[in-house]
Amino acid sequence: MKMTWMLASAATIALAAPIAQAAAPNPLAWQNKALSADARANLLVRAMTLDEKLLVVTSYYGTQVDWNKYRDPLARRQSAGFVPGVPRLGWTPQWQTDAGSGVATQGVAAPDLQRTALPAGILTASTWNPDMAVRGGAMIGSEARASGFNTMLAGGVDLLREPGNGRNFEYGGEDPLLAGTMVGAIVRGIQSNQMITTVKHYAFNDQETKRTTVNILIDEPSARMSDLLAFQIAIEQGNPGSIMCSYNLVNGEWACQNDWLLNKVLKRDWGYKGFVMSDWGAMHDTVKNALNGLDQEAGVQNPKDYVWKDKLKTAIQDGRVPERVLDDKVRRIARALIASGAVDNPPTPDNPIDFAAHEAVSQADAEEGIVLLKNDDHVLPLAGAAKKIAIVGGHADVGVLTGGGSAQVYPRGGSPVSGEGPAHWPGPHVYAPSSPMKALQAERPDASISFASGRDLDQAAAAAKDADVAIVFVTQWTAEGMDFPLTLPDNQDALIDAVARANPNTIVVLETGGPVLMPWIDRVKGAVEAWYPGSKGGEAIARVLTGKVNPSGHLPATFAYAAADWPRASIAGADKGEHEVFDVRFSEGAAVGYKWFDKNHIKPLFPFGHGLSYTRFTQGGLKAAARRGTISASFSVRNAGSVAGKQVAQIYVSPVAGGWESPKRLGGFAKLDLQPGQSKTASVTIDPRLLGMWDKAHPGWRIAAGKYRVTLATSATDPGQSVIVSLTASHLPAGRGVAK
Ligand code: BGC
């Protein structure tokens, strides 16, 4: 009879003998809940045989998908990965599920796990509200637990260097402070469910094209001050049980066997105590993987395959890898799971989910992250006088778009659109059944609302001409494993032009995974970036359009006028052979996003930090002082308009004498909720790493003595109000952050 992993229950343990001091400890002693997670992990490792330890470091595909016919009977439905447990010791399996917007489907033809789709990560970053991110994370984590998972593969924080990166929607934008803070908050929320999640894809997985062979070249100071800083902040703020190393190479070595990235930066400098799992199939050389910091192989297609663990066993037996290296890996995995609570309170599958409550969280996130980009003549919110409304395009009659690939959540109710996009993974295009048009009609029962699909430009223009206001919904599906041009697909630019010519009151609602070009922007009165707004995105969009919700999302990434404005006008690699390793040099270094635009005096279409409101805010009273080697700033924000709203006040810093990679950096931010006429003061303390340059000779951040300009602004291009503060020189160690 098959044993289950629960065989040795906690009740058995209560009766267990005290931990033996000598050679043969009670094999179940690790289950003593009175001990620390470290002590329990140590005891577990001591009790395990070599083969048992090797089991814990290998994750198999848990789902039967078209490319993999194997499915472990103990794996849970639609899981991304499954790590067997050790029944003899009562050690838990790991049940792993993607990803950042909720429990994902793994591209199964008829997904049977319909779950709540949180808006895309880039939308949550657009809220600039870490509390909202915690709520969203807590919601998707609870669905993962209710579905039987103890490990989520959520927490993407690669910086938006390439506006066309197909996975930008999963990440937190272009700035290390904002992305690290927001993704760290999502991680905190997820892990509040007694489970772990993984921050990914470590590191510099900033493009998808040929992601397994692209060799990213970047100098160490630039690396430490950009993507690595985003990871470091996310890890400090979120304390993730795991980190997922990426497919690509960094400075000549694959990320999952990169001693510098894994052993030196992550484990030594940052003192990271969790474990490193590979991206699915990202291993190359067993011994290098083992010695250079990888702790768990993921993506094994079939247990019968000769895999990393078998090769590792041979390497241990013939002395190329000491067994204590394997012990450290198992200890890290065990410690993370025990510390999270996932072991003492194991998840079970098929629990009821309060979808209404969860969809309300998803909607609240969407309502706070949708960005009002342009609003000439107060075309929004829709006035009561707008009685005839023409809605065009984007399947707005039935739903809102979601992002594709491993992060694909199949929303409750199923996709109202089928047969679009790639037939197989990372497709097809999946829509959440939340119609902006129906939601708008519910908000505005007095209005007559028409819909045109947008496929026929003349028909769309005729509908627009006949209306008081025309709202064009445009979509750009993006997905893992692919990158995308910055131009909207399917002739949608021409559709906007046709509608705008027919109706002067044209508003565009974008559902995109990242920045796109907007050649039509001067011809429309309003523009709203709704990203992929999740399970209740249609309702959220409608409430923003009508003013039920005052928009307060701000861009976490720069929108440019032209592709050539970015460091690379297109993403390299399309012409490379399948196994051909090729270089991409990040010559912009740490000057990512607005820093690049600033430094090169390029005017963006919409700057980082930009977001309009239906009310008017005034900011002022900026005071800044040097304190304990860093800068603290306080200021006040007033709602000078007539409706309640939320403002994102942003603090930028720059050395008066220059010398940084870019003229300025985001140093802090605060989101304030204000009633009409209300003022609030807020203060931020700037993370001192944001005041320094990475010092390679004496590893750490060197803060130069001198004058620093502190600016209170509403976006990266707002001149704002500035004060000058003097700092004395200081040096911070590399691992300044708190190791958990
Ligand atoms: C993706 C990861 C994902 C994993 C498991 C990989 O292709 O890059 O983000 O977690 O698959 O589905």
Side-chain angles (χ1 to χ4, degrees), residues 61 80-81 97-99 106 153-154 167 170-171 198 200-201 205 208 211 244 247 277-280 406-407 425 480:
Y61 263 108
T97 180
D98 287 298
Q106 282 305 308
L153 309 173
R167 300 191 87 171
E170 296 188 54
Y171 301 143
T198 190
K200 68 188 187 182
H201 307 86
N205 188 179
E208 287 296 289
R211 61 180 172 171
M244 184 188 290
Y247 286 119
M277 64 167 71
S278 70
D279 202 337
W280 267 226
S406 61
W425 192 96
E480 178 186 345

Side-chain angles (χ1 to χ4, degrees), residues 100-102 115-121 123-124 127 131-140 142-143 354-370 400-402 409 411-412 432-434 530-541 543-544 549:
S101 287
R115 292 292 179 261
T116 306
L118 192 65
L123 182 149
T124 300
T127 68
D131 294 340
M132 189 65 243
V134 170
R135 277 180 71 197
M139 183 276 281
I140 60 171
S142 81
E143 291 202 3
D354 185 346
F355 284 111
H358 289 187
E359 286 167 358
V361 174
S362 180
Q363 184 172 334
D365 189 26
E367 289 176 354
E368 209 163 319
I370 290 174
V400 287
L401 187 58
T402 64
V409 177
R412 184 166 72 113
S434 169
W531 310 112
Y532 303 144
S535 279
K536 286 285 168 192
E539 280 77 0
I541 291 170
R543 281 160 54 88
V544 165
V549 165

Side-chain angles (χ1 to χ4, degrees), residues 141-156:
S142 81
E143 291 202 3
R145 172 170 266 281
S147 310
F149 298 106
N150 56 17
T151 305
M152 280 199 99
L153 309 173

